[in-house]
Amino acid sequence: MSKRQSNQANSHPKQQSLFGRIARGQIISAELFSRYWYVILLVISLALLSITTKYECQTKMEEIRRLEDDLEIVKTERIRAKSLYMSRTRESAMNELVDSLHLELNVQDKPPYKISSRK
């Protein structure tokens, strides 16, 4: 084997494609993990923390939307109850209620007397 052929044989692994080196495990090796284990652990921890934070944010946003929908329903019910109450406090509604219950109460034709005390 000539010197030129041995140089080509030695230079051949250096000219391999990046995909080929990754497939054979030449780029990601045990030495890389043993040398940078703390950095790898930190990156994985940060990725998991990011995923957790995003999930919690999404669940809180869904809860906020659900509570806003519930609030709209409660507001509508409050308005309905208020209008029902206001309709019952009218004089004509009260007269109808008294008549339906047969309480035998009547509305006075004359205003009440004002009593004053003289000293």
Side-chain angles (χ1 to χ4, degrees):
M1 195 191 245
S2 72
K3 191 174 185 179
R4 187 174 188 173
Q5 288 176 344
S6 66
N7 284 343
Q8 287 178 352
N10 289 340
S11 66
H12 181 61
K14 293 180 183 177
Q15 295 175 354
Q16 292 177 356
S17 68
L18 180 63
F19 180 72
R21 291 175 62 196
I22 291 173
R24 283 187 289 285
Q26 292 176 342
I27 290 181
I28 303 174
S29 63
E31 182 182 330
L32 177 76
F33 286 112
S34 64
R35 187 181 300 166
Y36 297 109
W37 66 269
Y38 53 90
V39 176
I40 294 170
L41 183 66
L42 179 67
V43 169
I44 291 172
S45 299
L46 290 176
L48 290 175
L49 182 68
S50 173
I51 292 169
T52 304
T53 305
K54 184 177 179 181
Y55 176 75
E56 286 181 8
C57 181
Q58 286 177 345
T59 55
K60 295 290 182 184
M61 294 286 283
E62 289 173 6
E63 184 179 2
I64 288 170
R65 276 189 227 109
R66 184 184 56 80
L67 290 174
E68 285 176 346
D69 291 342
D70 291 348
L71 180 63
E72 287 297 319
I73 292 170
V74 169
K75 282 182 179 180
T76 304
E77 287 294 318
R78 184 187 66 87
I79 290 171
R80 187 191 63 75
K82 184 178 177 183
S83 67
L84 183 63
Y85 170 75
M86 293 302 284
S87 69
R88 287 187 178 173
T89 57
R90 291 190 188 115
E91 186 178 352
S92 60
M94 292 304 284
N95 286 334
E96 289 176 15
L97 183 62
V98 167
D99 291 342
S100 69
L101 295 175
H102 304 293
L103 296 177
E104 298 180 11
L105 296 175
N106 297 323
V107 179
Q108 293 182 358
D109 295 332
K110 297 178 184 177
Y113 293 108
K114 184 174 183 182
I115 300 175
S116 62
S117 65
R118 293 186 187 174
K119 289 188 177 184

